[in-house]
Amino acid sequence: MAVFNVDGTFYAINDVCLHRGGPLGEGELQGTTVICPWHGWRYNLTTGENEVMPDRPIEKYEVEVVGDDILVDLP
Ligand code: FES
């Protein structure tokens, strides 16, 4: 799982890129899009949409902030 903080809003997605398993948590952020550090696939953190292969969205998890804790609802 990879957790991102975009201007104080937290998002969580599967950390494993659907292309060849790159570590999305190490990817560059452009707004609410994370770019895989290995070959550049792009995922929208708000929807899980894969901007390169729209038929292959990444798993997205619900996040709740409670005090100092970040709670992620894993399936
Ligand atoms: S492993 Fe992520 S784009 Fe290739």
Side-chain angles (χ1 to χ4, degrees), residues 17 19-22 24 36 38-41:
C17 180
H19 179 220
R20 298 226 173 138
L24 295 176
C36 179
W38 284 7
H39 314 100
W41 279 27

Side-chain angles (χ1 to χ4, degrees), residues 11-59:
Y11 302 93
I13 60 172
N14 191 320
D15 184 50
V16 180
C17 180
L18 295 169
H19 179 220
R20 298 226 173 138
L24 295 176
E26 298 175 18
E28 177 186 335
L29 278 178
Q30 287 184 355
T32 54
T33 296
V34 62
I35 303 169
C36 179
W38 284 7
H39 314 100
W41 279 27
R42 301 166 61 92
Y43 299 92
N44 185 310
L45 298 175
T46 66
T47 62
E49 178 189 3
N50 179 338
E51 297 179 1
V52 176
M53 300 276 289
D55 59 328
R56 299 184 65 193
I58 195 85
E59 269 185 296

